[in-house]
Amino acid sequence: MALSPSELILNADGSIYHLNLLPKDIAQTIITVGDPERVAQVSKHFDSIEIRKGKREFHAHTGYLKGKRLTVLSTGIGTDNIDIVLNELDALVNIDFTTRTVKPATVSLEIVRIGTSGALQPAIPVDSFLLSEFAMGFDGLLHFYSNKGAESSEMAKSFVKQTGWNPQKAYPYVVAADPELTSRLLSNRIRLGLTITNTGFYGPQNRSLRLPLPDKDLASKIAAFYFEGRSITNLEMETSGIYLLAKLLGHRAVSMNCILANRSNGTFSQNPEFAVDSLIEYVLERLTN
């Protein structure tokens, strides 16, 4: 059945609505970054760039590095944006824009997030690199899709019980990284972690400037969580949505975090630009070898 114009929205040039991209514009390996300015920070390492497009916070460069075609795409902040980005990336490879129908043979994308994050455990130093082995989402995105088999529900149940989670908040969900991509990006430079994805930077991450918080001890409760040998290592704002939608849509995803802050001891990187660029170089080396 053909998708209606109100469901599959295309621009006048035939590109997908928000990303402003045509199917030919993207590679099968996608690097996502939050900040649009970080797109050029990644693509400056490419040997050549063939596509430069941008609309709103969504900017994309596609080019080649060591013979491998890569796309780097900015998502903006938050899982609300991730919902747009992952669905539209999938549409670019798995929907025929002429007939508006799903293609009979689907394509699986490789999606690697390069982002910044704050650590919760005191032993995780700033400027270190962490791969999110699991992501726990507080954003509620899972509950808007049929999601059978997508999550680790026992870990979520244990978290709710251990923290006394407020039932008025979205029920947490947990999704694992793709094991094949994990093995390609893992080395002795990389920590494995259980990453929290939250819906905001201040109150949702237990930061208070002027507004009071209903549970001032939430951050310590999260840091104290323990399940089958795992503790929560860090917080950020996109990974759970990427893992969830990638898994549901048949893509492979992993999130690489540059730890810029440590919430436990109150420290912040003295040279965040250098730290992020070092992670970019590491990921590009692993993807192209």
Side-chain angles (χ1 to χ4, degrees):
M1 181 180 294
L3 293 160
S4 71
S6 67
E7 305 306 297
L8 174 64
I9 306 172
L10 302 178
N11 298 311
D13 64 353
S15 62
I16 196 74
Y17 184 57
H18 295 93
L19 300 186
N20 199 38
L21 295 170
L22 297 163
K24 66 180 182 180
D25 291 338
I26 65 168
Q28 197 164 344
T29 299
I30 311 286
I31 297 168
T32 68
V33 295
D35 185 352
E37 293 187 4
R38 197 169 289 149
V39 172
Q41 192 177 356
V42 175
S43 68
K44 71 181 182 182
H45 298 284
F46 292 1
D47 297 323
S48 62
I49 300 173
E50 60 179 358
I51 300 291
R52 287 184 175 91
K53 288 189 174 181
K55 182 181 180 182
R56 303 184 186 182
E57 61 266 60
F58 308 114
H59 290 243
H61 291 178
T62 295
Y64 287 87
L65 178 61
K66 299 179 183 177
K68 184 177 179 68
R69 194 170 189 242
L70 300 166
T71 294
V72 54
L73 170 68
S74 61
T75 64
I77 298 174
T79 54
D80 49 350
N81 277 15
I82 294 301
D83 182 63
I84 292 171
V85 170
L86 266 289
N87 275 288
E88 293 197 358
L89 282 176
D90 179 75
L92 286 166
V93 294
N94 289 319
I95 295 177
D96 185 319
F97 285 7
T98 302
T99 63
R100 294 179 168 272
T101 57
V102 176
K103 295 177 181 178
T106 56
V107 171
S108 179
L109 297 170
E110 293 181 338
I111 300 167
V112 179
R113 171 188 175 268
I114 300 177
T116 58
S117 185
L120 287 178
Q121 304 299 334
I124 302 175
V126 296
D127 299 333
S128 62
F129 304 154
L130 185 146
L131 187 156
S132 302
E133 186 179 16
F134 290 91
M136 181 182 292
F138 295 167
D139 50 273
L141 186 60
L142 170 106
H143 309 300
F144 292 93
Y145 293 97
S146 297
N147 53 66
K148 186 177 180 180
E151 64 161 340
S152 174
S153 58
E154 290 305 313
M155 191 187 297
K157 289 177 184 177
S158 181
F159 175 85
V160 167
K161 183 178 180 180
Q162 288 187 41
T163 60
W165 191 247
N166 186 337
Q168 292 182 314
K169 296 176 181 177
Y171 196 89
Y173 64 95
V174 182
V175 188
D178 177 75
E180 192 275 334
L181 267 182
T182 295
S183 66
R184 284 168 57 191
L185 290 165
L186 201 56
S187 76
N188 58 10
R189 292 186 65 186
I190 307 298
R191 296 168 183 266
L192 288 174
L194 167 54
T195 298
I196 289 290
T197 297
N198 217 326
T199 56
F201 186 77
Y202 289 97
Q205 293 190 26
N206 217 225
R207 285 185 178 93
S208 176
L209 301 183
R210 288 205 315 119
L211 292 175
L213 302 174
D215 184 355
K216 295 180 181 179
D217 298 323
L218 181 59
S220 60
K221 291 176 184 177
I222 291 172
F225 171 71
Y226 191 80
F227 180 82
E228 295 183 351
R230 293 184 176 86
S231 297
I232 292 169
T233 51
N234 61 306
L235 296 102
E236 51 74 74
M237 296 177 64
E238 289 88 38
T239 298
S240 65
I242 294 172
Y243 282 12
L244 171 69
L245 293 176
K247 195 161 193 177
L248 294 177
L249 291 165
H251 305 296
R252 295 181 291 142
V254 73
S255 177
M256 303 293 291
N257 303 269
C258 183
I259 302 298
L260 294 187
N262 187 296
R263 299 289 301 282
S264 176
N265 55 39
T267 56
F268 193 84
S269 173
Q270 294 186 9
N271 194 342
E273 189 81 6
F274 177 80
V276 171
D277 204 49
S278 296
L279 179 57
I280 290 168
E281 290 178 0
Y282 174 87
V283 170
L284 291 174
E285 179 68 24
R286 286 274 159 169
L287 289 176
T288 55
N289 279 337

PDB file of all heavy atoms in Angstrom, residues 219-247:
ATOM      1  N   ALA A 219      20.118  11.677  41.286  1.00  0.00           N
ATOM      2  CA  ALA A 219      21.408  11.397  40.658  1.00  0.00           C
ATOM      3  C   ALA A 219      22.185  10.341  41.437  1.00  0.00           C
ATOM      4  O   ALA A 219      22.784   9.429  40.839  1.00  0.00           O
ATOM      5  CB  ALA A 219      22.237  12.676  40.542  1.00  0.00           C
ATOM      6  N   SER A 220      22.164  10.430  42.763  1.00  0.00           N
ATOM      7  CA  SER A 220      22.882   9.437  43.565  1.00  0.00           C
ATOM      8  C   SER A 220      22.199   8.077  43.498  1.00  0.00           C
ATOM      9  O   SER A 220      22.876   7.032  43.513  1.00  0.00           O
ATOM     10  CB  SER A 220      22.997   9.907  45.013  1.00  0.00           C
ATOM     11  OG  SER A 220      21.723  10.109  45.590  1.00  0.00           O
ATOM     12  N   LYS A 221      20.873   8.050  43.407  1.00  0.00           N
ATOM     13  CA  LYS A 221      20.146   6.782  43.245  1.00  0.00           C
ATOM     14  C   LYS A 221      20.499   6.124  41.914  1.00  0.00           C
ATOM     15  O   LYS A 221      20.690   4.903  41.846  1.00  0.00           O
ATOM     16  CB  LYS A 221      18.639   7.023  43.321  1.00  0.00           C
ATOM     17  CG  LYS A 221      18.112   7.427  44.676  1.00  0.00           C
ATOM     18  CD  LYS A 221      16.627   7.720  44.599  1.00  0.00           C
ATOM     19  CE  LYS A 221      16.077   8.222  45.921  1.00  0.00           C
ATOM     20  NZ  LYS A 221      14.636   8.566  45.809  1.00  0.00           N
ATOM     21  N   ILE A 222      20.592   6.924  40.860  1.00  0.00           N
ATOM     22  CA  ILE A 222      20.953   6.394  39.544  1.00  0.00           C
ATOM     23  C   ILE A 222      22.375   5.853  39.571  1.00  0.00           C
ATOM     24  O   ILE A 222      22.651   4.759  39.075  1.00  0.00           O
ATOM     25  CB  ILE A 222      20.800   7.490  38.467  1.00  0.00           C
ATOM     26  CG1 ILE A 222      19.321   7.831  38.263  1.00  0.00           C
ATOM     27  CG2 ILE A 222      21.429   7.047  37.145  1.00  0.00           C
ATOM     28  CD1 ILE A 222      19.087   9.030  37.366  1.00  0.00           C
ATOM     29  N   ALA A 223      23.287   6.607  40.175  1.00  0.00           N
ATOM     30  CA  ALA A 223      24.685   6.180  40.244  1.00  0.00           C
ATOM     31  C   ALA A 223      24.847   4.906  41.065  1.00  0.00           C
ATOM     32  O   ALA A 223      25.763   4.111  40.820  1.00  0.00           O
ATOM     33  CB  ALA A 223      25.546   7.289  40.818  1.00  0.00           C
ATOM     34  N   ALA A 224      23.955   4.685  42.032  1.00  0.00           N
ATOM     35  CA  ALA A 224      24.049   3.510  42.907  1.00  0.00           C
ATOM     36  C   ALA A 224      23.402   2.272  42.305  1.00  0.00           C
ATOM     37  O   ALA A 224      23.565   1.162  42.830  1.00  0.00           O
ATOM     38  CB  ALA A 224      23.407   3.821  44.256  1.00  0.00           C
ATOM     39  N   PHE A 225      22.671   2.399  41.206  1.00  0.00           N
ATOM     40  CA  PHE A 225      21.997   1.254  40.584  1.00  0.00           C
ATOM     41  C   PHE A 225      23.006   0.191  40.168  1.00  0.00           C
ATOM     42  O   PHE A 225      24.086   0.495  39.655  1.00  0.00           O
ATOM     43  CB  PHE A 225      21.214   1.729  39.357  1.00  0.00           C
ATOM     44  CG  PHE A 225      20.657   0.615  38.513  1.00  0.00           C
ATOM     45  CD1 PHE A 225      19.598  -0.153  38.962  1.00  0.00           C
ATOM     46  CD2 PHE A 225      21.198   0.332  37.266  1.00  0.00           C
ATOM     47  CE1 PHE A 225      19.085  -1.184  38.192  1.00  0.00           C
ATOM     48  CE2 PHE A 225      20.696  -0.684  36.487  1.00  0.00           C
ATOM     49  CZ  PHE A 225      19.636  -1.447  36.953  1.00  0.00           C
ATOM     50  N   TYR A 226      22.610  -1.067  40.381  1.00  0.00           N
ATOM     51  CA  TYR A 226      23.499  -2.187  40.057  1.00  0.00           C
ATOM     52  C   TYR A 226      22.651  -3.352  39.558  1.00  0.00           C
ATOM     53  O   TYR A 226      21.657  -3.723  40.193  1.00  0.00           O
ATOM     54  CB  TYR A 226      24.287  -2.608  41.296  1.00  0.00           C
ATOM     55  CG  TYR A 226      25.416  -3.568  41.011  1.00  0.00           C
ATOM     56  CD1 TYR A 226      26.638  -3.117  40.512  1.00  0.00           C
ATOM     57  CD2 TYR A 226      25.261  -4.932  41.253  1.00  0.00           C
ATOM     58  CE1 TYR A 226      27.679  -3.999  40.261  1.00  0.00           C
ATOM     59  CE2 TYR A 226      26.298  -5.823  40.999  1.00  0.00           C
ATOM     60  CZ  TYR A 226      27.506  -5.352  40.507  1.00  0.00           C
ATOM     61  OH  TYR A 226      28.530  -6.228  40.256  1.00  0.00           O
ATOM     62  N   PHE A 227      23.038  -3.914  38.402  1.00  0.00           N
ATOM     63  CA  PHE A 227      22.280  -5.035  37.836  1.00  0.00           C
ATOM     64  C   PHE A 227      23.226  -5.956  37.075  1.00  0.00           C
ATOM     65  O   PHE A 227      23.858  -5.550  36.101  1.00  0.00           O
ATOM     66  CB  PHE A 227      21.194  -4.513  36.883  1.00  0.00           C
ATOM     67  CG  PHE A 227      20.355  -5.598  36.257  1.00  0.00           C
ATOM     68  CD1 PHE A 227      19.289  -6.162  36.953  1.00  0.00           C
ATOM     69  CD2 PHE A 227      20.631  -6.049  34.975  1.00  0.00           C
ATOM     70  CE1 PHE A 227      18.508  -7.159  36.374  1.00  0.00           C
ATOM     71  CE2 PHE A 227      19.868  -7.045  34.395  1.00  0.00           C
ATOM     72  CZ  PHE A 227      18.796  -7.600  35.092  1.00  0.00           C
ATOM     73  N   GLU A 228      23.335  -7.186  37.544  1.00  0.00           N
ATOM     74  CA  GLU A 228      24.142  -8.219  36.885  1.00  0.00           C
ATOM     75  C   GLU A 228      25.545  -7.720  36.530  1.00  0.00           C
ATOM     76  O   GLU A 228      26.025  -7.875  35.407  1.00  0.00           O
ATOM     77  CB  GLU A 228      23.414  -8.744  35.642  1.00  0.00           C
ATOM     78  CG  GLU A 228      22.115  -9.463  35.969  1.00  0.00           C
ATOM     79  CD  GLU A 228      21.429 -10.046  34.747  1.00  0.00           C
ATOM     80  OE1 GLU A 228      21.866  -9.748  33.604  1.00  0.00           O
ATOM     81  OE2 GLU A 228      20.440 -10.793  34.931  1.00  0.00           O
ATOM     82  N   GLY A 229      26.199  -7.090  37.499  1.00  0.00           N
ATOM     83  CA  GLY A 229      27.568  -6.639  37.322  1.00  0.00           C
ATOM     84  C   GLY A 229      27.726  -5.300  36.637  1.00  0.00           C
ATOM     85  O   GLY A 229      28.848  -4.853  36.391  1.00  0.00           O
ATOM     86  N   ARG A 230      26.612  -4.629  36.325  1.00  0.00           N
ATOM     87  CA  ARG A 230      26.683  -3.346  35.619  1.00  0.00           C
ATOM     88  C   ARG A 230      26.146  -2.211  36.469  1.00  0.00           C
ATOM     89  O   ARG A 230      25.111  -2.340  37.122  1.00  0.00           O
ATOM     90  CB  ARG A 230      25.895  -3.406  34.308  1.00  0.00           C
ATOM     91  CG  ARG A 230      26.474  -4.334  33.261  1.00  0.00           C
ATOM     92  CD  ARG A 230      25.677  -4.233  31.972  1.00  0.00           C
ATOM     93  NE  ARG A 230      26.276  -5.040  30.911  1.00  0.00           N
ATOM     94  CZ  ARG A 230      26.018  -6.332  30.726  1.00  0.00           C
ATOM     95  NH1 ARG A 230      25.162  -6.965  31.518  1.00  0.00           N
ATOM     96  NH2 ARG A 230      26.604  -6.989  29.742  1.00  0.00           N
ATOM     97  N   SER A 231      26.845  -1.080  36.398  1.00  0.00           N
ATOM     98  CA  SER A 231      26.374   0.167  36.993  1.00  0.00           C
ATOM     99  C   SER A 231      26.149   1.179  35.870  1.00  0.00           C
ATOM    100  O   SER A 231      26.700   1.038  34.768  1.00  0.00           O
ATOM    101  CB  SER A 231      27.411   0.734  37.975  1.00  0.00           C
ATOM    102  OG  SER A 231      27.620  -0.148  39.050  1.00  0.00           O
ATOM    103  N   ILE A 232      25.360   2.199  36.155  1.00  0.00           N
ATOM    104  CA  ILE A 232      25.150   3.256  35.164  1.00  0.00           C
ATOM    105  C   ILE A 232      26.388   4.141  35.130  1.00  0.00           C
ATOM    106  O   ILE A 232      26.857   4.616  36.158  1.00  0.00           O
ATOM    107  CB  ILE A 232      23.889   4.062  35.488  1.00  0.00           C
ATOM    108  CG1 ILE A 232      22.652   3.172  35.296  1.00  0.00           C
ATOM    109  CG2 ILE A 232      23.792   5.309  34.609  1.00  0.00           C
ATOM    110  CD1 ILE A 232      21.374   3.764  35.819  1.00  0.00           C
ATOM    111  N   THR A 233      26.923   4.352  33.932  1.00  0.00           N
ATOM    112  CA  THR A 233      28.208   5.039  33.793  1.00  0.00           C
ATOM    113  C   THR A 233      28.084   6.507  33.413  1.00  0.00           C
ATOM    114  O   THR A 233      28.901   7.324  33.845  1.00  0.00           O
ATOM    115  CB  THR A 233      29.059   4.334  32.714  1.00  0.00           C
ATOM    116  OG1 THR A 233      28.270   4.172  31.517  1.00  0.00           O
ATOM    117  CG2 THR A 233      29.530   2.970  33.200  1.00  0.00           C
ATOM    118  N   ASN A 234      27.101   6.864  32.614  1.00  0.00           N
ATOM    119  CA  ASN A 234      27.077   8.230  32.057  1.00  0.00           C
ATOM    120  C   ASN A 234      25.679   8.621  31.612  1.00  0.00           C
ATOM    121  O   ASN A 234      24.790   7.772  31.464  1.00  0.00           O
ATOM    122  CB  ASN A 234      28.056   8.343  30.887  1.00  0.00           C
ATOM    123  CG  ASN A 234      27.726   7.419  29.734  1.00  0.00           C
ATOM    124  OD1 ASN A 234      27.575   6.196  29.909  1.00  0.00           O
ATOM    125  ND2 ASN A 234      27.622   7.967  28.535  1.00  0.00           N
ATOM    126  N   LEU A 235      25.495   9.929  31.392  1.00  0.00           N
ATOM    127  CA  LEU A 235      24.219  10.477  30.924  1.00  0.00           C
ATOM    128  C   LEU A 235      24.434  11.274  29.643  1.00  0.00           C
ATOM    129  O   LEU A 235      25.438  11.968  29.486  1.00  0.00           O
ATOM    130  CB  LEU A 235      23.612  11.423  31.959  1.00  0.00           C
ATOM    131  CG  LEU A 235      23.178  10.895  33.308  1.00  0.00           C
ATOM    132  CD1 LEU A 235      24.210  11.238  34.355  1.00  0.00           C
ATOM    133  CD2 LEU A 235      21.835  11.506  33.708  1.00  0.00           C
ATOM    134  N   GLU A 236      23.454  11.197  28.753  1.00  0.00           N
ATOM    135  CA  GLU A 236      23.417  12.044  27.557  1.00  0.00           C
ATOM    136  C   GLU A 236      21.982  12.093  27.059  1.00  0.00           C
ATOM    137  O   GLU A 236      21.066  11.762  27.815  1.00  0.00           O
ATOM    138  CB  GLU A 236      24.434  11.568  26.505  1.00  0.00           C
ATOM    139  CG  GLU A 236      24.363  10.092  26.155  1.00  0.00           C
ATOM    140  CD  GLU A 236      23.187   9.753  25.295  1.00  0.00           C
ATOM    141  OE1 GLU A 236      23.211  10.077  24.100  1.00  0.00           O
ATOM    142  OE2 GLU A 236      22.218   9.162  25.811  1.00  0.00           O
ATOM    143  N   MET A 237      21.736  12.477  25.788  1.00  0.00           N
ATOM    144  CA  MET A 237      20.365  12.783  25.386  1.00  0.00           C
ATOM    145  C   MET A 237      19.902  12.176  24.062  1.00  0.00           C
ATOM    146  O   MET A 237      18.823  12.539  23.585  1.00  0.00           O
ATOM    147  CB  MET A 237      20.180  14.308  25.342  1.00  0.00           C
ATOM    148  CG  MET A 237      20.330  14.962  26.710  1.00  0.00           C
ATOM    149  SD  MET A 237      20.202  16.754  26.677  1.00  0.00           S
ATOM    150  CE  MET A 237      18.521  16.970  26.123  1.00  0.00           C
ATOM    151  N   GLU A 238      20.672  11.230  23.474  1.00  0.00           N
ATOM    152  CA  GLU A 238      20.240  10.648  22.196  1.00  0.00           C
ATOM    153  C   GLU A 238      20.322   9.128  22.078  1.00  0.00           C
ATOM    154  O   GLU A 238      19.606   8.527  21.284  1.00  0.00           O
ATOM    155  CB  GLU A 238      21.062  11.232  21.031  1.00  0.00           C
ATOM    156  CG  GLU A 238      20.788  12.673  20.681  1.00  0.00           C
ATOM    157  CD  GLU A 238      21.627  13.648  21.470  1.00  0.00           C
ATOM    158  OE1 GLU A 238      22.811  13.345  21.722  1.00  0.00           O
ATOM    159  OE2 GLU A 238      21.104  14.706  21.851  1.00  0.00           O
ATOM    160  N   THR A 239      21.215   8.490  22.816  1.00  0.00           N
ATOM    161  CA  THR A 239      21.598   7.109  22.517  1.00  0.00           C
ATOM    162  C   THR A 239      20.447   6.118  22.567  1.00  0.00           C
ATOM    163  O   THR A 239      20.319   5.258  21.679  1.00  0.00           O
ATOM    164  CB  THR A 239      22.730   6.655  23.452  1.00  0.00           C
ATOM    165  OG1 THR A 239      23.874   7.486  23.209  1.00  0.00           O
ATOM    166  CG2 THR A 239      23.117   5.209  23.198  1.00  0.00           C
ATOM    167  N   SER A 240      19.589   6.178  23.566  1.00  0.00           N
ATOM    168  CA  SER A 240      18.514   5.186  23.659  1.00  0.00           C
ATOM    169  C   SER A 240      17.589   5.241  22.439  1.00  0.00           C
ATOM    170  O   SER A 240      17.141   4.208  21.947  1.00  0.00           O
ATOM    171  CB  SER A 240      17.702   5.378  24.943  1.00  0.00           C
ATOM    172  OG  SER A 240      17.012   6.618  24.938  1.00  0.00           O
ATOM    173  N   GLY A 241      17.311   6.449  21.952  1.00  0.00           N
ATOM    174  CA  GLY A 241      16.460   6.572  20.764  1.00  0.00           C
ATOM    175  C   GLY A 241      17.115   5.989  19.531  1.00  0.00           C
ATOM    176  O   GLY A 241      16.452   5.344  18.705  1.00  0.00           O
ATOM    177  N   ILE A 242      18.429   6.210  19.392  1.00  0.00           N
ATOM    178  CA  ILE A 242      19.162   5.642  18.258  1.00  0.00           C
ATOM    179  C   ILE A 242      19.132   4.122  18.317  1.00  0.00           C
ATOM    180  O   ILE A 242      18.828   3.442  17.325  1.00  0.00           O
ATOM    181  CB  ILE A 242      20.608   6.157  18.243  1.00  0.00           C
ATOM    182  CG1 ILE A 242      20.638   7.666  17.960  1.00  0.00           C
ATOM    183  CG2 ILE A 242      21.438   5.408  17.197  1.00  0.00           C
ATOM    184  CD1 ILE A 242      22.011   8.296  18.117  1.00  0.00           C
ATOM    185  N   TYR A 243      19.440   3.559  19.493  1.00  0.00           N
ATOM    186  CA  TYR A 243      19.469   2.103  19.629  1.00  0.00           C
ATOM    187  C   TYR A 243      18.088   1.495  19.393  1.00  0.00           C
ATOM    188  O   TYR A 243      17.943   0.462  18.737  1.00  0.00           O
ATOM    189  CB  TYR A 243      19.965   1.720  21.022  1.00  0.00           C
ATOM    190  CG  TYR A 243      21.456   1.819  21.213  1.00  0.00           C
ATOM    191  CD1 TYR A 243      22.281   2.458  20.295  1.00  0.00           C
ATOM    192  CD2 TYR A 243      22.068   1.275  22.343  1.00  0.00           C
ATOM    193  CE1 TYR A 243      23.647   2.557  20.489  1.00  0.00           C
ATOM    194  CE2 TYR A 243      23.439   1.360  22.541  1.00  0.00           C
ATOM    195  CZ  TYR A 243      24.219   2.001  21.610  1.00  0.00           C
ATOM    196  OH  TYR A 243      25.576   2.089  21.803  1.00  0.00           O
ATOM    197  N   LEU A 244      17.070   2.114  19.964  1.00  0.00           N
ATOM    198  CA  LEU A 244      15.711   1.589  19.832  1.00  0.00           C
ATOM    199  C   LEU A 244      15.259   1.559  18.370  1.00  0.00           C
ATOM    200  O   LEU A 244      14.852   0.507  17.853  1.00  0.00           O
ATOM    201  CB  LEU A 244      14.739   2.439  20.651  1.00  0.00           C
ATOM    202  CG  LEU A 244      13.256   2.132  20.417  1.00  0.00           C
ATOM    203  CD1 LEU A 244      12.903   0.759  20.969  1.00  0.00           C
ATOM    204  CD2 LEU A 244      12.375   3.209  21.022  1.00  0.00           C
ATOM    205  N   LEU A 245      15.317   2.707  17.691  1.00  0.00           N
ATOM    206  CA  LEU A 245      14.801   2.775  16.332  1.00  0.00           C
ATOM    207  C   LEU A 245      15.670   1.989  15.363  1.00  0.00           C
ATOM    208  O   LEU A 245      15.160   1.380  14.412  1.00  0.00           O
ATOM    209  CB  LEU A 245      14.659   4.231  15.891  1.00  0.00           C
ATOM    210  CG  LEU A 245      13.582   5.011  16.656  1.00  0.00           C
ATOM    211  CD1 LEU A 245      13.572   6.475  16.227  1.00  0.00           C
ATOM    212  CD2 LEU A 245      12.209   4.394  16.465  1.00  0.00           C
ATOM    213  N   ALA A 246      16.976   1.968  15.578  1.00  0.00           N
ATOM    214  CA  ALA A 246      17.845   1.152  14.731  1.00  0.00           C
ATOM    215  C   ALA A 246      17.447  -0.311  14.842  1.00  0.00           C
ATOM    216  O   ALA A 246      17.334  -1.022  13.827  1.00  0.00           O
ATOM    217  CB  ALA A 246      19.306   1.337  15.129  1.00  0.00           C
ATOM    218  N   LYS A 247      17.219  -0.780  16.050  1.00  0.00           N
ATOM    219  CA  LYS A 247      16.860  -2.182  16.250  1.00  0.00           C
ATOM    220  C   LYS A 247      15.499  -2.491  15.628  1.00  0.00           C
ATOM    221  O   LYS A 247      15.322  -3.517  14.953  1.00  0.00           O
ATOM    222  CB  LYS A 247      16.857  -2.520  17.739  1.00  0.00           C
ATOM    223  CG  LYS A 247      16.859  -3.998  18.034  1.00  0.00           C
ATOM    224  CD  LYS A 247      17.312  -4.265  19.452  1.00  0.00           C
ATOM    225  CE  LYS A 247      17.618  -5.743  19.652  1.00  0.00           C
ATOM    226  NZ  LYS A 247      18.139  -6.010  21.015  1.00  0.00           N
TER     227      LYS A 247
END
